[in-house]
Amino acid sequence: MNRLIKAMIICALLTHSGWTKVKVVASTPDLASIAGIIGGSEVEVISIAKGAVNPHYVEVLPSYMIKVARANLYLKVGMGLDQWADPIIDGSRNSKLTIVDCSQGVNRLQVPTGKVDASLGDVHPQGNPHYWLDPANGLVIAANIVEGLCKVDPANCQAYRDSYERFISDLKIRFGIWEKRAATLRGSQIVTFHDSWPYFAQAFGLEVVGFIEPKPGIEPTPSHTRELIELMKGRGVKIIGMEPYFSNRVPNSIAAAAGAKVIVLPPSVGGAPEIKDYFELFDTLIAKLTTAKE
Ligand SMILES: [Zn+2]
């Protein structure tokens, strides 16, 4: 038998016997990181958005559709953050794809009640979608991912549940360490560029008192900037946290006028080279904030 035919037969056998890995596509690197921790060697995970780009705005590319076409499971952030995932999924024409909205069961913040609240801006219409920045929500995300993996790969369901139990105990131990390290931050007031931090602030006792954006997704305006400088001076706010994908021009000028400093706070895995997984995201954020506070 010639070599090519042999290789083709082996490939076909591998594909049909379930020896190939479960293919997971996640909207963001944070969901991908948790899926990798839960799935271990049984899964192959990729993220559409990269850590250093604004997750609200991702271009819908045919290459993403091809990746989803080959996937078993898609992990969405939900709450309106990754609306770009829908045309990618539709374009993949993958009728066997299982889709999991990882925001299911999350304790949601800033959800509009009654009439749609204009203060939510253009990009947070369903409440604040940056929920992965509270480690407690990391547990909810992981539970949703376990359900998705069990659905697409029932044979390994118990292994996924075991990983989930280990993830819970790991995260709880680390949360204790993060809380201790972040103790000096309790009650600190900060201003951030975008409203990415209410879950993080709630988890670690910070108070976010203003934003460079007048509303989520809206460019800074001169009048809003003047008000923000006055607010920061009045309350003695010394730290402006900026997501890595914004221009530092306006934050720097506000910091200079208000006597504050600007620090870059990456809200996602991969947002800085040292943030290689979901745990290192919190390691880095807490280190950056406590250093800025000194
Ligand atoms: Zn946002």
Side-chain angles (χ1 to χ4, degrees):
M1 211 181 322
N2 93 32
R3 251 194 215 159
L4 181 66
I5 293 173
K6 236 184 213 171
M8 283 168 68
I9 290 171
I10 290 168
C11 271
L13 282 172
L14 284 172
T15 312
H16 290 288
S17 60
W19 292 351
T20 50
K21 296 186 181 212
V22 174
K23 289 188 177 61
V24 182
V25 178
S27 279
T28 62
D30 312 289
L31 305 183
S33 173
I34 297 173
I37 294 167
I38 300 295
S41 57
E42 306 297 338
V43 302
E44 197 180 286
V45 191
I46 56 162
S47 168
I48 300 276
K50 300 289 169 264
V53 307
N54 188 337
H56 286 294
Y57 307 107
V58 169
E59 201 185 342
V60 175
L61 299 175
S63 61
Y64 299 149
M65 296 174 193
I66 292 165
K67 283 176 176 143
V68 177
R70 296 178 187 139
N72 307 100
L73 179 63
Y74 192 96
L75 304 173
K76 278 173 85 167
V77 178
M79 293 188 75
L81 181 119
D82 48 351
Q83 291 177 29
W84 41 264
D86 295 328
I88 292 173
I89 292 168
D90 290 347
S92 78
R93 299 177 182 274
N94 180 347
S95 59
K96 290 184 180 147
L97 186 71
T98 294
I99 302 164
V100 169
D101 180 337
C102 292
S103 72
Q104 289 173 91
V106 159
N107 203 350
R108 299 173 173 204
L109 299 177
Q110 303 170 3
V111 175
T113 48
K115 274 188 185 166
V116 172
D117 185 349
S119 74
L120 294 168
D122 285 359
V123 295
H124 293 176
Q126 299 168 34
N128 193 296
H130 299 272
Y131 59 84
W132 66 91
L133 286 159
D134 178 347
N137 288 335
L139 297 178
V140 180
I141 296 168
N144 287 326
I145 291 173
V146 169
E147 292 317 306
L149 286 172
C150 282
K151 201 172 163 198
V152 299
D153 183 21
N156 286 309
C157 185
Q158 193 52 50
Y160 299 134
R161 295 200 190 285
D162 293 345
S163 303
Y164 173 62
E165 293 303 322
R166 282 194 298 276
F167 180 71
I168 294 176
S169 52
D170 260 19
L171 196 65
K172 280 185 178 161
I173 292 165
R174 287 170 198 254
F175 187 69
I177 296 167
W178 293 329
E179 266 196 316
K180 267 192 206 130
R181 287 188 193 153
T184 55
L185 300 174
R186 291 218 155 258
S188 298
Q189 300 182 80
I190 65 165
V191 159
T192 64
F193 198 111
H194 179 73
D195 190 4
S196 310
W197 307 96
Y199 297 91
F200 182 87
Q202 181 178 267
F204 295 104
L206 288 149
E207 199 187 341
V208 185
V209 298
F211 309 100
I212 308 264
E213 289 179 334
K215 285 173 188 173
I218 307 295
E219 292 281 313
T221 60
S223 65
H224 176 72
T225 297
R226 278 194 298 276
E227 282 170 22
L228 189 60
I229 292 168
E230 287 317 305
L231 178 133
M232 289 177 67
K233 282 183 178 167
R235 300 182 72 154
V237 180
K238 297 291 176 207
I239 298 173
I240 297 175
M242 194 187 89
E243 295 79 358
Y245 36 80
F246 293 114
S247 158
N248 61 7
R249 193 179 56 82
V250 177
N252 282 345
S253 71
I254 293 175
K261 60 179 143 185
V262 179
I263 57 168
V264 175
L265 295 177
S268 277
V269 172
E274 67 271 27
I275 311 176
K276 294 179 293 294
D277 64 29
Y278 186 66
F279 301 124
E280 289 175 349
L281 176 60
F282 296 100
D283 289 340
T284 300
L285 290 171
I286 290 165
K288 281 178 179 278
L289 281 160
T290 49
T291 308
K293 186 85 204 301
E294 277 164 10

